[in-house]
Amino acid sequence: MAQVMSNKQVLLRDFVNGRSPTESDMYVTTNSISLKVPPQDSNAVLVKNLYLSCDPMMRFLIMKSDQRMSKYIYPSPGSPICGYGVAKVLDSSHPEFKEGDLVWGLTKWEEYSLLPNPENLIKIHHTDVPLSYYTGILGMAGKTAYAGFFEVCRPKKGEYVFVSAASGAVGQLVGQFAKLAGCYVVGSAGSKEKVDLLKNKIGFDEAFNYNEEHDLDAALKRYFPQGIDVYFEHVGGKLLDAVLLNMREHGRMAMCGMISQYNLPEPQGIKNVTQIILKRLHIHGFTHRDYDHIVPEYYEFVLPYIRQGKLEYVEDIVEGLENGPAAFVGLFNGRNVGKQVVALAGH
């Protein structure tokens, strides 16, 4: 007879539109679950979640929208919220997965998850590095940083690179990849602690606190008197407008996120769009899902640097699923330092 376990979960209370999510939009409860895949679920896997990733993209998963993308898992009110995570397979009826496999991919915010369509899961073969890295540098964030910088921006040695939200999961990697490529790199962040981290640990040439800059155009001219060749965009809004004024001719912009806009009832307008024409800028929007095919190439590139200690990866790990809502909400007010991860009990 299958073992039945208690299963702590983070459920969505209701859809969140037009404002920043709060902890009260989610609630923690405990149900029970059988640790056996039901016979009728012919391709399902049952997993024990070990680490859950907090990502800004999860904001779109809890919105009520007619434009939801089918590749994401969207919770309904009263069901567990979803996101990327690292898990261990406990039972499987899928031919590609077996008991004991370690995997990363889309899962649910609960201790145990029955995943009826596990095709998005990726097996973990490299276990000589921290498993939590598969929520970040070896997961979605790493793939995003590598693809956005090397495939979209195609940097050249000596170019000038600017990264917004530079201390986050993706930004800290883009900055280090830029240094490996022989570029000059500056990052922006929202606190003195994060600026110090970028300059003194992660290895950016310079960094500034955007909250202390009353004139973002002047700040960028101070750090980039020659202009910006490559901009890795995470923020949008006023910062994007200022960057457009400071791009060099034929500059490239990888549009990865716009966290300043996600919780506004109406998005802010951009004034300096004429610069796109005058400077013949290449602006490319992308998501990590466009680049699943480069994961083997990326691992071949990044794993030696991790093993040799030549890449820093800063994680902000909170313990316990019950602390997950606060960790997720903290993404939108800058509370996290580095990649925000939730470690589940017994991981």
Side-chain angles (χ1 to χ4, degrees):
M1 187 172 179
Q3 185 180 8
V4 176
M5 295 286 290
S6 64
N7 190 25
K8 189 181 293 184
Q9 302 173 301
V10 176
L11 306 185
L12 178 66
R13 192 179 302 277
D14 200 357
F15 292 122
V16 183
N17 286 67
R19 60 173 175 81
S20 182
T22 66
E23 291 181 51
S24 63
D25 294 318
M26 297 158 271
Y27 62 100
V28 179
T29 188
T30 301
N31 288 312
S32 60
I33 188 170
S34 170
L35 298 188
K36 194 75 177 171
V37 174
Q40 65 271 22
D41 290 328
S42 58
N43 280 310
V45 298
L46 182 84
V47 300
K48 176 179 174 59
N49 293 308
L50 307 177
Y51 295 96
L52 297 172
S53 176
C54 293
D55 298 297
M57 71 89 183
M58 294 169 60
R59 178 68 183 86
F60 297 104
L61 305 186
I62 60 174
M63 292 172 60
K64 187 173 185 179
S65 172
D66 295 331
Q67 299 178 353
R68 293 181 158 206
M69 292 180 289
S70 61
K71 290 186 178 180
Y72 277 145
I73 301 173
Y74 292 91
S76 299
S79 64
I81 66 172
C82 305
Y84 283 85
V86 176
K88 183 176 182 178
V89 176
L90 300 183
D91 190 35
S92 172
S93 60
H94 193 286
E96 298 298 319
F97 300 98
K98 65 180 187 300
E99 181 183 349
D101 283 347
L102 293 168
V103 296
W104 72 271
L106 282 169
T107 186
K108 300 177 183 179
W109 275 42
E110 54 190 357
E111 293 176 298
Y112 302 94
S113 292
L114 179 65
L115 304 175
N117 299 300
E119 287 78 11
N120 72 84
L121 297 179
I122 297 173
K123 285 187 185 180
I124 293 173
H125 298 291
H126 305 284
T127 56
D128 60 329
V129 295
L131 281 179
S132 60
Y133 275 16
Y134 287 91
T135 68
I137 187 172
L138 293 175
M140 180 179 70
K143 182 173 55 165
T144 301
Y146 182 81
F149 189 62
F150 289 110
E151 297 289 321
V152 174
C153 295
R154 299 195 174 275
K156 303 178 185 68
K157 185 176 180 179
E159 288 192 315
Y160 301 95
V161 177
F162 177 48
V163 185
S164 58
S167 67
V170 176
Q172 60 176 297
L173 291 174
V174 175
Q176 292 178 85
F177 294 165
K179 293 306 299 177
L180 290 172
C183 298
Y184 171 84
V185 59
V186 176
S188 64
S191 71
K192 181 181 184 303
E193 177 188 12
K194 293 179 181 180
V195 167
D196 290 344
L197 180 75
L198 291 172
K199 291 165 54 174
N200 301 323
K201 183 170 184 177
I202 297 177
F204 280 62
D205 292 294
E206 287 289 351
F208 65 89
N209 180 351
Y210 61 82
N211 286 317
E212 294 180 348
E213 300 291 344
H214 302 295
D215 186 335
L216 291 170
D217 177 36
L220 291 172
K221 285 181 166 56
R222 187 166 74 246
Y223 289 102
F224 293 101
Q226 305 91 343
I228 300 166
D229 293 297
V230 170
Y231 175 45
F232 207 100
E233 166 70 302
H234 288 110
V235 173
K238 294 178 181 178
L239 185 57
L240 172 58
D241 227 5
V243 168
L244 285 169
L245 291 173
N246 288 276
M247 293 296 292
R248 301 179 80 180
E249 289 186 356
H250 304 291
R252 286 91 69 207
M253 301 172 68
M255 312 302 280
C256 175
M258 292 197 176
I259 197 168
S260 73
Q261 306 299 296
Y262 294 163
N263 298 317
L264 300 179
E266 294 289 337
Q268 293 174 322
I270 303 298
K271 300 176 183 177
N272 297 318
V273 291
T274 307
Q275 298 295 316
I276 299 170
I277 303 167
L278 298 176
K279 296 174 179 175
R280 285 85 79 201
L281 301 180
H282 176 80
I283 300 178
H284 187 107
F286 77 104
T287 81
H288 70 96
R289 300 187 307 281
D290 301 328
Y291 293 97
D292 288 342
H293 61 282
I294 70 164
V295 170
E297 171 192 322
Y298 172 58
Y299 281 0
E300 187 176 336
F301 167 83
V302 79
L303 280 166
Y305 287 115
I306 294 174
R307 290 167 177 150
Q308 296 164 23
K310 293 182 178 179
L311 276 176
E312 293 284 348
Y313 197 65
V314 180
E315 296 178 301
D316 190 337
I317 299 180
V318 300
E319 297 279 346
L321 186 60
E322 64 277 6
N323 295 313
F328 171 58
V329 169
L331 292 177
F332 301 97
N333 57 33
R335 187 163 55 194
N336 62 300
V337 178
K339 170 61 190 176
Q340 185 68 73
V341 183
V342 179
L344 276 66
H347 63 280

